[in-house]
Amino acid sequence: MGPNILAIESSCDDTAAAVIQNGHILSNIVANQEVHQKWGGVVPELASRAHMANIVPTVDLALKKAGVQKQDLHAIAFTQGPGLLGSLLVGTCFAKSLAQSLGIPLIPVNHMKAHILAHFIEDPKPSFPFLCLTVSGGHTQIVQVEDYHTMTVIGETLDDAAGEAFDKAAKIMGLPYPGGPMLDKLAQEGDERAFDFAKSRVPDLSFSFSGIKTSILYYLRKRVAEDPDFVEKNLNDLCASIQRNIVEMLTDKLTKATKKTGIREVAIAGGVSANSELRKQLGIFGKNKGWNTYIPRFEYCTDNAAMIAMTAHFKYLAGDFGDLGTVPMARMKI
Ligand code: KG4
Ligand code: ZN
């Protein structure tokens, strides 16, 4: 029997816990924090407080669902970073206390590596080496993955993340936070060629989303000055066009990355991989260019502890542990 590991994720605004047994996820619990909605974005201090309130019941539920007793655990894993420092601290302190009280090892996990290794929770699994585009509210990266432990970031955003671009565009149009999913929904009824927005051109495999955000803002300001109902009248077309523009930026760089590396195994991860246009385009690119493409189930795309547990499993097998001196890191390289 392989190891039983309890994993805790608290890098941003979701408190999550999962149990993995011999590489199989037994439970995966996420407590979302509603408190940020009325502020139009995540408020770090409120996130830490909500983590403190949620962490005990979330961990209890994960153990109960898994049917695993604390005494049967072999290690406690936690997200070390990157993320909001106050949020990370809650998970780190909790993990340390529990591991110490049970006399078992700690496994610190890099959140960005975990997003990628979420692809190994279920079939089909990518083969090494593969490329992973990780796109969420906090990250936009293309990573070349050599094995479970060795990964290189070959492209990343110079400013906003792709999810942030969706959320900010939605906010400009008056949609509630987080606007990405609603923008996607409204785009279904719209003409994706109705509008075009200027994008910043950045070299090589880097991304930049600040230019398109500004161009949407200025364009709408001008049109709304002429007609106050402009956004309302064109909402579906605006959403569809913005979505197409952002997705084009992602697939352009992904195509560049496959050409540069010669790798045809292409995966996506993170909350934005829920976007219908990105999923559709990845399918089309896969067919046209002969890529094997991989998208994890949605619950393993957004922030979750199952991905932390999966990564911890590989680290456990490699004998790669942390200790009580391991500190959370707001910024952390892959
Ligand atoms: O991975 P995630 O749950 O949390 C972070 O680590 O940020 O990603 C959340 C992001 C938000 O920006 C949200 O608007 C975006 O993913 N998102 C979407 C869609 N679903 C979630 N963006 C576009 N289309 C969607 N369907
Ligand atoms: Zn994330």
Side-chain angles (χ1 to χ4, degrees):
M1 184 65 92
N4 293 329
I5 303 171
L6 168 71
I8 294 160
E9 150 66 30
S10 71
S11 65
C12 188
D13 62 337
D14 295 314
T15 317
V19 176
I20 192 166
Q21 181 171 71
N22 198 20
H24 299 285
I25 298 294
L26 298 184
S27 63
N28 181 36
I29 308 294
V30 183
N32 298 113
Q33 302 181 359
E34 307 281 313
V35 60
H36 307 287
Q37 223 150 27
K38 69 173 177 192
W39 301 101
V42 176
V43 184
E45 178 58 24
L46 294 179
S48 324
R49 286 166 193 242
H51 281 307
M52 293 211 280
N54 291 344
I55 197 155
V56 172
T58 306
V59 165
D60 278 349
L61 190 58
L63 287 168
K64 195 170 158 208
K65 273 222 165 163
V68 169
Q69 308 284 324
K70 285 193 188 88
Q71 292 70 25
D72 300 330
L73 293 171
H74 298 101
I76 309 289
F78 64 98
T79 304
Q80 185 185 7
L84 300 169
L85 199 54
S87 291
L88 291 166
L89 256 173
V90 179
T92 305
C93 292
F94 185 91
K96 283 182 183 175
S97 321
L98 188 57
Q100 200 178 23
S101 72
L102 295 170
I104 55 176
L106 278 166
I107 307 178
V109 170
N110 181 311
H111 181 89
M112 299 311 295
K113 278 192 170 174
H115 265 301
I116 293 166
L117 295 177
H119 284 279
F120 293 90
I121 295 174
E122 289 181 327
D123 287 327
K125 296 168 181 140
S127 13
F128 297 117
F130 67 92
L131 296 177
C132 187
L133 171 71
T134 313
V135 268
S136 73
H139 350 275
T140 301
Q141 291 185 331
I142 300 179
V143 180
Q144 184 169 327
V145 188
E146 305 297 345
D147 59 40
Y148 300 125
H149 311 285
T150 319
M151 309 180 183
T152 316
V153 177
I154 58 171
E156 64 188 326
T157 183
L158 304 175
D159 41 55
D160 292 349
E164 238 174 321
F166 273 112
D167 295 340
K168 285 180 178 171
K171 194 172 179 179
I172 294 170
M173 294 186 291
L175 303 177
Y177 174 85
M182 191 175 283
L183 191 146
D184 186 356
K185 206 165 156 198
L186 291 163
Q188 304 304 315
E189 307 290 320
D191 173 5
E192 60 173 27
R193 299 277 159 195
F195 303 98
D196 221 355
F197 300 99
K199 304 166 204 158
S200 359
R201 300 217 170 275
V202 280
D204 215 20
L205 299 177
S206 300
F207 298 88
S208 167
F209 295 99
S210 59
I212 187 167
K213 181 190 68 188
T214 313
S215 102
I216 294 167
L217 181 67
Y218 287 172
Y219 178 76
L220 290 182
R221 253 192 210 158
K222 192 166 146 245
R223 300 304 298 263
V224 168
E226 297 155 5
D227 173 6
D229 298 330
F230 179 80
V231 172
E232 210 170 292
K233 284 182 194 157
N234 297 281
L235 191 57
N236 297 100
D237 289 351
L238 283 167
C239 288
S241 302
I242 291 167
Q243 180 165 285
R244 174 184 58 83
N245 274 272
I246 295 175
V247 170
E248 268 174 14
M249 292 162 84
L250 296 172
T251 50
D252 276 1
K253 296 293 177 159
L254 208 42
T255 306
K256 265 198 180 151
T258 58
K259 283 191 184 141
K260 193 169 174 182
T261 60
I263 296 172
R264 293 278 176 277
E265 293 279 302
V266 180
I268 60 173
V272 178
S273 53
N275 183 265
S276 60
E277 179 67 14
L278 179 59
R279 296 171 90 100
K280 188 177 119 193
Q281 289 302 329
L282 196 71
I284 295 173
F285 274 80
K287 248 193 210 131
N288 292 349
K289 297 184 185 281
W291 302 349
N292 295 321
T293 59
Y294 304 87
I295 311 175
R297 193 150 33 112
F298 185 58
E299 62 184 289
Y300 299 138
C301 281
T302 53
D303 286 351
N304 67 87
M307 68 184 195
I308 306 299
M310 193 72 242
T311 308
H313 174 78
F314 295 127
K315 288 189 80 170
Y316 186 99
L317 298 184
D320 186 2
F321 299 103
D323 56 39
L324 292 177
T326 308
V327 291
M329 285 162 70
R331 289 175 168 275
M332 194 177 172
K333 288 208 181 313
I334 262 192

